[in-house]
């Protein structure tokens, strides 16, 4: 009798212990299943994001290739204009030299070349344009008033053309006066050859230079991504990095000098 009395409560206790253990294991299985489902959903989401990112990257690369082609075309057009001016001047000077013509005959040739170069600068990138035009005007005045002999004037004009060619090949930062709306201020400008130009004001505003009709505008970038791209360009040029891959806002100067 004593064995039975002590044995029955022990069996009941074992049964009661087994029931909670089974429930715990069931809960663990349910939890693991829920976590697995969540992980699968996360993987699928990441996979979808990866597919989208790849497509965006493919589109961006296509856009960059198009932009590079446009840059090459714009640069080639501007260099062709300068070559035509220089070639025309050289040809006329050689003919004049062979014919032994007087200074009065050379003056129209030089003045025509000066006027064509003046038009190219006016239509082109507004990089220190006032200074460049002022130097050209001084040369024109000296030719018109015979303060500079024709051969020396030709050499000066040739050097001026060489400087303009250098601008088409150079990427640099300079300080110059820009106008934002009605406000004129000194700012850093970064030019990419003579086809693109960006600016950075002292109060950390970034923007691009765009042409509207015959007028030039300095436009502040409102998009944060564009500001970061322009800032990265300034940082690279400050570090003397002149070549490399840069993703930039499309600021191609339409039309160029003709």
């Amino acid at each position: 009798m004593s064995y039975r009395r002590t044995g029955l409560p022990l069996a009941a206790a074992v049964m009661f212990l087994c029931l909670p253990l089974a429930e715990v294991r069931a809960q663990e299985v349910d939890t693991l299943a829920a976590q697995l489902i969540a992980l699968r959903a996360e993987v699928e989401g990441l996979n979808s994001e990866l597919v989208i990112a790849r497509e965006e990257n493919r589109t961006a690369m296509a856009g960059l290739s198009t932009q590079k082609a446009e840059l090459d075309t714009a640069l080639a057009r501007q260099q062709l204009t300068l070559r035509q001016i220089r070639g025309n001047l050289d040809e006329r000077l050689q003919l004049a030299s062979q014919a032994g013509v007087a200074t009065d005959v050379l003056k129209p040739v030089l003045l025509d070349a000066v006027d064509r170069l003046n038009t190219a600068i006016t239509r082109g990138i507004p990089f220190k344009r006032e200074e460049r035009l002022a130097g050209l005007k001084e040369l024109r005045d000296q030719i018109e008033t015979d303060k500079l002999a024709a051969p020396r004037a030709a050499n000066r004009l040739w050097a001026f053309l060489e400087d303009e060619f250098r601008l088409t090949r150079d990427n640099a930062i300079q300080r110059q006066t820009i106008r934002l709306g009605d406000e004129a201020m000194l700012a850093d400008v970064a030019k990419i050859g003579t086809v693109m130009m960006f600016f950075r004001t002292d109060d950390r505003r970034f923007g691009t230079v765009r042409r509207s009709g015959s007028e030039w505008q300095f436009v502040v970038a409102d998009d944060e991504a564009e500001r970061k791209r322009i800032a990265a360009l300034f940082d690279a040029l400050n570090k003397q990095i002149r070549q490399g891959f840069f993703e930039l806002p499309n600021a191609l100067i339409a039309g160029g000098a003709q």
Side-chain angles (χ1 to χ4, degrees):
M1 283 300 285
S2 62
Y3 173 78
R4 291 179 181 176
R5 282 199 299 268
T6 57
L8 287 176
L10 180 60
V14 170
M15 291 179 61
F16 282 119
L17 285 172
C18 290
L19 287 175
L21 183 60
E23 292 178 358
V24 168
R25 288 179 176 174
Q27 291 175 359
E28 289 178 349
V29 170
D30 292 340
T31 301
L32 290 173
Q35 291 176 347
L36 181 60
I37 293 172
L39 287 172
R40 284 178 177 174
E42 184 177 352
V43 169
E44 290 176 357
L46 290 172
N47 185 62
S48 298
E49 292 178 4
L50 179 60
V51 171
I52 294 173
R54 285 176 176 171
E55 186 61 32
E56 290 177 347
N57 183 64
R58 189 179 297 110
T59 302
M61 291 302 296
L64 288 171
S65 297
T66 301
Q67 188 180 58
K68 182 180 182 300
E70 292 173 347
L71 279 168
D72 292 339
T73 301
L75 179 59
R77 182 170 57 244
Q78 292 185 344
Q79 289 182 338
L80 176 61
T81 299
L82 292 174
R83 286 194 186 96
Q84 288 173 341
I85 296 172
R86 188 169 66 176
N88 182 264
L89 174 62
D90 188 41
E91 180 182 356
R92 293 191 184 188
L93 288 175
Q94 287 181 2
L95 291 174
S97 177
Q98 291 170 4
V101 297
T103 299
D104 289 343
V105 179
L106 287 177
K107 280 177 63 174
V109 176
L110 295 173
L111 291 175
D112 176 66
V114 168
D115 290 340
R116 292 183 64 191
L117 184 54
N118 186 88
T119 299
I121 293 174
T122 301
R123 291 178 178 175
I125 189 171
F127 176 75
K128 293 189 175 295
R129 186 172 56 185
E130 288 73 18
E131 293 92 326
R132 291 156 65 200
L133 290 176
L136 201 57
K137 182 180 184 303
E138 179 184 1
L139 177 59
R140 195 183 204 287
D141 291 341
Q142 290 175 340
I143 295 172
E144 285 185 324
T145 59
D146 295 325
K147 290 182 179 179
L148 198 63
R152 291 187 61 192
N155 290 335
R156 285 273 306 276
L157 184 55
W158 191 271
F160 206 104
L161 282 165
E162 290 293 338
D163 289 339
E164 290 298 310
F165 260 110
R166 253 189 307 275
L167 288 180
T168 67
R169 300 188 297 265
D170 186 34
N171 302 329
I173 296 177
Q174 296 282 347
R175 291 280 286 180
Q176 76 173 59
T177 300
I178 69 169
R179 181 170 292 277
L180 289 180
D182 297 328
E183 184 182 4
M185 65 184 71
L186 273 174
D188 297 323
V189 295
K191 72 177 191 66
I192 308 301
T194 52
V195 293
M196 298 178 78
M197 186 168 165
F198 304 90
F199 67 87
R200 176 182 63 191
T201 63
D202 293 340
D203 57 0
R204 302 295 292 178
R205 283 181 289 176
F206 294 89
T208 60
V209 179
R210 300 181 185 278
R211 185 168 65 187
S212 177
S214 60
E215 298 296 324
W216 295 98
Q217 294 180 345
F218 289 83
V219 183
V220 176
D222 294 325
D223 183 70
E224 181 63 23
E226 286 195 358
R227 287 196 292 270
K228 288 182 178 179
R229 293 181 185 124
I230 299 173
L233 172 66
F234 273 95
D235 289 341
L237 292 179
N238 280 330
K239 296 174 183 176
Q240 304 300 313
I241 301 174
R242 295 290 187 266
Q243 297 178 344
F245 177 84
F246 300 96
E247 186 176 355
L248 297 171
N250 191 346
L252 281 174
I253 296 174
Q258 302 295 332

